[in-house]
C-alpha cells in the first residue's frame, strides 16, 4: 500500500466514496444513547451534506460548537501546523499554546487563571470541585443550581442539572445539590444555608429552551455571594465564546446596566465553541481562588494539549480579527426579527427568545416534531425544552443564508 500525502485542500476536495452506509453500522455497533437522524458526509460553511447527496442549511451549528461553520480553513491550518510540531506532551510540561490560550482567556475575562479540560461537563466538574475545596474548611459543600438547567452528563453534571429526566435511573446521585427556580433571586436567598458553597447558573439556559438571566438576577446573585462568602459559578458552555457577541454572555446581558461594569463570576465553565469543533474545555477561576488547586488536587490527561490550544487560539483570533462577533449579533437579530415577523401568519409560532447566535423559536406543537419538519425542508435546528427550536448560528453565517432559513421556516411550519 502506498502512502499518499495530501494537503488540507486536497482532503476537502475528495468525496470519500461511501463504502458502506453509516446507518446500519450504528444500528449494529454503536450504543444507542442518541436519537440520530441524517447520515452526513461533509460540510462547508453553514452547509452540511448527507449521504444521499442532499444539502442542508445547518443552523444548529453542531449544538453550539461550529462557530466558524464547517471545514473552516483556519481550523484546518492550525491543526496541520501544530500537528507537525507537537500534538500531545502531557501536563508534566509547559508549552506555549496552553500558556498563550490561558492568557487570552484571562484578558477576555478578568484577573484569574485557567484550568484546561476536554468538555463542558468536565469544566463544570472543575468548578464544583473548586467550590467544594474552597468551602471545605468552613463545612460548606452544597451547590445551588437552577431548575430547568443543564450542566452535563457526568455524575456531578447530572446531579447539578435541574431536570429530572437526566437523573432518572442513575440514583443515588452525588449529594449536595439544591435546585431553585431560575431568575428568582429570593429563591436563591432562601436556599442559602451554612452548608452552601456556591451558586451555579447558565447565563442563558440552552437545553432548557433559551431563557436569558435578567440583569437584576445577576447583580443580586453577585451581592448574595459576596454577603455569604460563597462562589458565584457561571456555566458559559453554550452561551459563551462570543455566541452573544461578547466573549461571555454576562458581558452582553449586563452591557449598559448601571453599576454592572465590574461584575465577574468566581468561576466560568467554557467548552463547545471554544475549539470550533475540536474538543476543548476550560474553567476560568477568579483571582481569589486561582491557586486553590495545587499539584495533585485536580487534573486531566488530555486537558489543554498543544493541538487543542492552538486550534482554540486560531478560532478566537479568527472571530476577533474578522469581526465575526459583530456578524453573529447582526445575523441573529435578522433571524429573530424575521421569525417574529412570521408570527401573525403562523399561529404555530408562539414566541421568539434569545439573542445573537442563540435564538429560540417557540412552537405550539412538540419541538422534535417541528424540528423534523424543518429538516425535511432542508433546515437543521436543535430541539430544546419548553417547545423551543434552537438556532445556534455559526458566527460566519450570511444574510442570504438567514433569509433562506426564514423562507424554509415559512414553508415548513
Ligand atoms: C453542552 C452543555 C454542557 C455539557 O457539555 P459537554 O461538552 O457535552 O460535556 C454543560 N453545560 C451547558 C450549559 C451545555 O450547554
Amino acid at each position: 500500500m502506498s502512502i499518499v500525502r495530501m494537503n488540507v485542500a486536497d482532503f476537502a476536495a475528495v468525496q470519500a466514496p461511501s463504502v458502506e452506509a453509516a446507518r446500519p453500522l450504528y444500528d449494529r455497533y454503536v450504543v444507542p444513547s442518541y436519537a440520530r437522524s441524517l447520515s452526513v458526509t461533509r460540510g462547508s460553511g453553514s452547509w452540511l451534506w448527507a449521504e444521499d447527496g442532499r444539502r442542508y442549511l445547518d443552523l444548529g451549528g453542531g449544538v453550539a460548537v461550529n462557530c466558524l461553520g464547517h471545514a473552516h480553513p483556519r481550523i484546518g491550518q492550525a491543526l496541520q501546523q501544530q500537528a507537525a510540531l507537537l500534538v500531545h506532551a502531557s501536563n508534566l510540561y509547559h508549552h506555549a499554546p496552553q500558556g498563550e490560550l490561558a492568557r487570552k482567556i484571562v484578558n477576555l475575562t478578568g484577573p484569574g487563571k485557567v484550568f484546561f479540560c476536554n468538555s463542558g461537563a468536565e469544566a463544570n466538574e472543575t468548578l464544583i470541585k473548586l467550590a467544594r475545596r474552597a468551602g471545605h474548611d468552613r463545612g460548606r459543600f452544597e451547590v445551588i443550581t437552577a431548575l430547568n438547567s443543564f450542566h452535563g452528563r457526568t455524575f456531578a453534571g447530572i446531579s447539578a442539572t435541574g431536570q429530572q429526566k437526566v437523573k432518572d435511573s442513575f440514583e443515588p446521585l452525588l449529594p449536595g445539590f439544591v435546585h431553585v427556580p431560575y431568575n428568582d433571586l429570593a429563591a436563591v436567598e432562601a436556599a442559602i444555608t451554612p452548608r452552601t458553597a456556591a451558586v451555579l447558573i447558565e447565563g442563558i439556559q440552552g437545553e432548557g429552551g433559551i431563557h436569558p438571566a435578567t440583569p437584576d438576577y445577576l447583580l443580586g446573585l453577585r451581592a448574595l455571594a459576596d454577603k455569604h462568602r460563597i462562589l458565584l459559578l457561571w456555566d458559559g458552555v453554550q452561551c459563551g465564546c462570543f455566541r452573544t457577541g461578547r466573549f461571555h454572555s454576562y458581558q452582553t446581558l449586563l452591557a449598559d446596566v448601571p453599576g454592572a461594569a465590574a461584575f465577574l463570576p468566581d468561576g466560568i465553565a467554557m467548552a463547545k465553541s471554544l475549539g470550533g469543533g475540536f474538543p476543548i474545555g476550560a474553567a476560568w477561576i477568579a483571582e481569589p481562588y486561582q491557586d486553590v488547586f495545587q499539584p495533585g488536587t485536580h487534573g486531566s490527561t488530555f486537558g489543554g494539549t498543544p493541538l487543542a490550544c492552538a486550534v482554540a487560539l486560531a478560532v478566537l483570533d479568527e472571530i476577533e480579527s474578522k469581526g465575526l462577533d459583530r456578524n453573529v449579533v447582526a445575523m441573529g437579530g435578522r433571524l429573530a426579527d424575521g421569525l417574529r415577523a412570521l408570527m401573525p401568519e403562523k399561529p404555530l409560532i408562539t414566541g421568539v427568545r434569545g439573542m445573537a447566535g442563540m435564538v429560540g423559536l417557540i412552537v405550539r406543537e412538540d419541538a422534535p416534531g417541528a424540528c423534523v419538519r424543518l429538516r425535511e425542508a432542508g433546515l437543521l435546528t436543535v430541539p430544546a425544552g419548553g417547545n423551543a427550536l434552537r438556532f445556534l448560528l455559526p458566527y460566519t453565517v450570511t444574510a442570504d443564508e438567514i433569509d433562506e432559513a426564514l423562507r424554509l421556516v415559512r414553508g415548513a411550519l
Side-chain angles (χ1 to χ4, degrees):
M1 200 207 271
S2 68
I3 295 170
V4 182
R5 284 185 192 281
M6 298 171 114
N7 65 34
V8 173
D10 292 333
F11 274 119
V14 172
Q15 277 263 30
S18 176
V19 182
E20 276 185 274
R23 174 80 193 250
L25 297 173
Y26 275 73
D27 291 346
R28 175 69 185 83
Y29 299 111
V30 179
V31 170
S33 61
Y34 303 94
R36 300 177 195 265
S37 55
L38 304 176
S39 297
V40 295
T41 52
R42 69 189 175 95
S44 177
S46 304
W47 301 88
L48 194 57
W49 278 261
E51 222 164 39
D52 64 4
R54 191 166 173 205
R55 186 177 85 145
Y56 293 83
L57 180 53
D58 181 9
L59 299 191
V63 194
V65 167
N66 296 313
C67 59
L68 301 185
H70 295 288
H72 195 284
R74 192 72 199 278
I75 292 182
Q77 189 187 51
L79 280 168
Q80 207 180 30
Q81 284 176 357
Q82 185 58 47
L85 282 174
L86 191 64
V87 170
H88 171 88
S90 89
N91 281 309
L92 298 173
Y93 311 111
H94 303 97
H95 54 78
Q98 188 176 126
E100 286 171 14
L101 181 59
R103 176 177 61 190
K104 181 78 195 162
I105 290 172
V106 166
N107 286 344
L108 286 166
T109 307
K113 292 182 180 175
V114 182
F115 176 86
F116 289 101
C117 50
N118 311 284
S119 68
E122 283 177 72
N124 283 324
E125 289 272 342
T126 301
L127 297 186
I128 292 162
K129 285 181 72 176
L130 174 76
R132 287 271 184 113
R133 196 167 156 82
H136 189 261
D137 293 348
R138 293 189 295 144
R140 293 183 172 273
F141 63 91
E142 265 178 15
V143 178
I144 299 172
T145 74
L147 289 168
N148 206 32
S149 58
F150 182 78
H151 298 296
R153 297 288 189 163
T154 57
F155 253 104
I158 64 172
S159 303
T161 293
Q163 300 189 50
Q164 189 52 38
K165 68 178 185 214
V166 309
K167 308 175 193 257
D168 274 339
S169 77
F170 294 110
E171 302 86 355
L173 298 175
L174 186 67
F177 289 91
V178 180
H179 309 304
V180 296
Y182 189 62
N183 270 334
D184 183 342
L185 193 61
V188 174
E189 187 158 24
I192 294 175
T193 73
R195 294 186 303 277
T196 306
V199 179
L200 167 66
I201 60 152
E202 289 161 270
I204 303 173
Q205 289 190 333
E207 304 300 309
I210 314 289
H211 297 281
T214 62
D216 286 350
Y217 185 54
L218 298 184
L219 296 178
L221 286 179
R222 183 65 270 173
L224 274 181
D226 291 343
K227 178 176 159 195
H228 295 276
R229 292 199 300 132
I230 59 179
L231 283 79
L232 176 55
L233 304 178
W234 190 264
D235 183 345
V237 170
Q238 188 161 156
C239 60
C241 298
F242 293 108
R243 184 153 295 281
T244 63
R246 302 287 301 274
F247 187 55
H248 297 299
S249 64
Y250 63 80
Q251 295 164 335
T252 305
L253 295 167
L254 294 175
D256 308 323
V257 175
F263 178 92
L264 259 188
D266 297 306
I268 301 176
M270 289 159 261
K272 291 205 164 100
S273 278
L274 186 57
F278 195 84
I280 183 168
W284 170 87
I285 298 174
E287 204 165 28
Y289 304 99
Q290 67 186 12
D291 297 322
V292 164
F293 290 123
Q294 289 293 316
T297 56
H298 191 43
S300 165
T301 296
F302 288 124
T305 63
L307 193 59
C309 293
V311 174
L313 281 165
V315 167
L316 295 176
D317 183 65
E318 186 69 16
I319 293 168
E320 291 189 307
S321 66
K322 300 285 168 61
L324 300 179
D325 43 356
R326 292 189 299 279
N327 185 63
V328 74
V329 171
M331 293 303 113
R334 190 182 184 97
L335 175 66
D337 288 348
L339 292 172
R340 281 191 195 104
L342 288 177
M343 288 179 69
E345 58 168 301
K346 298 286 177 190
L348 199 64
I349 302 176
T350 60
V352 178
R353 284 198 291 261
M355 63 195 69
M358 207 170 166
V359 173
L361 174 69
I362 321 306
V363 289
R364 187 157 287 163
E365 65 181 281
D366 79 304
C371 186
V372 171
R373 278 211 272 158
L374 288 180
R375 186 178 74 233
E376 285 166 354
L379 174 65
L380 303 182
T381 58
V382 184
N387 287 359
L389 291 172
R390 271 176 294 172
F391 292 83
L392 298 164
L393 302 179
Y395 309 169
T396 48
V397 70
T398 65
D400 284 348
E401 289 164 349
I402 294 294
D403 295 346
E404 172 69 7
L406 290 167
R407 270 194 299 278
L408 293 172
V409 172
R410 190 159 185 230
L413 294 188

